Amino acid sequence: MSSDMRGGVLVITHGSTLDGVIEHIRTAARAGIGTAWLPQVFGNDALTTLAVAGREVPRIQLGTAVVPTYPRHPLALAGQALTVQGATGGRLTLGIGPSHRATIEGAYGYSYDRPVRHVREYLRALAPLLRQEAVDYRGETLTAVGAVDVSGATPPSLLLAALGPAMLRLAGERTDGTVTQFTGPRTIADHVVPTITRAASRAGRPAPRVVAGLAVCVTEEPTARRELLGNIYTAVGTGGEPSYRAMLDREGVATAVDVALVGDEATVERELRRYAEAGATECMATLFGTDQENARSLELIASLG
């Protein structure tokens, strides 16, 4: 299958050793996958893992989806990201985002008041730091004074997890694009792509990357796999993540399972084409089948081009 949308996979780190994560990335690379993405939750540090994996697995692009901003000062994150960029020969995409109120307030104890303001100030410090420029930024929520020096490292591509209009405009104005989750093709076409593209154009920036996070399973047992995914995604859109609920409502579906790509090769390929036609530039697939089903999914995703 040839497509303007590039293929990638989100490697789930929960329950895996470092060696196990690296082996998953190696498997993706052997299958011809373009990018291996790692989440950042309460477990393996994504950027540290990518630094190690990038030294062991050549060529495949690497990304975070996504590093929460609140717990990491821009000076610290810039130094870490540039170190990974240097260690991997310039293969890093740094995906960041504000996470969700339930996590930031409930786990970290930080205020989640006005997250768009927070991210705007964060990017004003982070973006120049990634270019290894000195900053002297003093905002309402953030102070960043200084610079990082990582010899030989180039600025990584910077993406912002953005779903709502204000965050999408910010992503278009200040970053290279966005990473979405639980967002269907109609919402990508009618909301995400036009909003971020207009903002990027007005800011004089290139056409943005739009990385669509998708649950994918090539299988002969779609009903059973959808039931499995329903158990995994039981709280999506019903808990402390109203941004996901808003995307599902825009798409006109009830649950996150309704935007999953499940079925045989022809079915999943048809759904992937819908995302490409909607304007997604890349897919980031979360695989949730058996080993055999995941191998079929990888083969199909690698064929995107």
Side-chain angles (χ1 to χ4, degrees):
M1 176 177 60
S2 177
S3 170
D4 291 334
M5 184 172 68
R6 298 187 299 278
V9 293
L10 182 70
V11 177
I12 302 302
T13 58
H14 179 71
S16 291
T17 63
L18 176 61
D19 287 341
V21 174
I22 292 171
E23 189 56 35
H24 284 306
I25 294 174
R26 186 177 287 114
T27 298
R30 288 172 177 164
I33 297 297
T35 306
W37 302 85
L38 294 188
Q40 180 61 65
V41 278
F42 298 110
N44 294 35
D45 182 78
L47 284 165
T48 304
T49 302
L50 289 177
V52 177
R55 303 292 282 187
E56 296 198 20
V57 185
R59 292 183 294 279
I60 190 169
Q61 296 294 305
L62 307 164
T64 59
V66 293
V67 176
T69 54
Y70 283 92
R72 293 163 178 81
H73 191 278
L75 278 161
L77 182 58
Q80 190 181 14
L82 286 167
T83 300
V84 177
Q85 184 76 328
T88 61
R91 287 183 280 149
L92 176 68
T93 290
L94 178 61
I96 66 169
S99 187
H100 304 278
R101 182 180 300 276
T103 299
I104 299 307
E105 293 188 345
Y108 291 110
Y110 297 140
S111 170
Y112 199 73
D113 182 51
R114 297 174 63 187
V116 174
R117 176 188 60 178
H118 158 76
V119 173
R120 181 179 294 109
E121 294 194 350
Y122 196 95
L123 288 171
R124 284 174 176 163
L126 180 66
L129 287 169
L130 291 174
R131 299 191 293 268
Q132 302 196 48
E133 300 171 2
V135 299
D136 187 347
Y137 182 76
R138 304 168 196 269
E140 295 179 59
T141 66
L142 177 74
T143 294
V145 180
V148 294
D149 181 5
V150 182
S151 298
T154 57
S157 180
L158 178 62
L159 303 182
L160 174 63
L163 298 175
M167 203 71 81
L168 282 167
R169 288 193 293 269
L170 188 55
E173 293 165 0
R174 300 274 180 174
T175 77
D176 300 313
T178 190
V179 184
T180 71
Q181 277 286 11
F182 309 117
T183 305
R186 185 168 62 188
T187 303
I188 294 282
D190 297 343
H191 168 60
V192 173
V193 170
T195 304
I196 192 172
T197 302
R198 279 194 302 268
S201 178
R202 289 170 181 166
R205 298 183 64 91
R209 295 170 64 181
V210 177
V211 182
L214 309 169
V216 177
C217 185
V218 175
T219 179
E220 303 304 323
E221 301 181 25
T223 300
R225 294 299 170 264
R226 287 185 179 278
E227 289 176 356
L228 171 64
L229 191 61
N231 293 330
I232 297 171
Y233 285 166
T234 181
V236 173
T238 62
E241 302 161 347
S243 56
Y244 292 155
R245 180 70 260 164
M247 292 304 99
L248 297 175
D249 290 342
R250 278 184 179 272
E251 193 69 17
V253 298
T255 72
V257 178
D258 296 321
V259 292
L261 281 58
V262 185
D264 60 15
E265 279 82 358
T267 298
V268 174
E269 178 179 346
R270 182 171 61 250
E271 292 303 306
L272 284 169
R273 288 188 181 280
R274 291 185 64 200
Y275 279 89
E277 291 165 359
T281 62
E282 302 160 60
C283 83
M284 178 182 68
T286 300
L287 309 184
F288 61 95
T290 65
D291 289 346
Q292 182 180 17
E293 289 168 339
N294 289 346
R296 291 170 65 184
S297 299
L298 282 176
E299 182 178 359
L300 182 60
I301 294 161
S303 72
L304 286 171

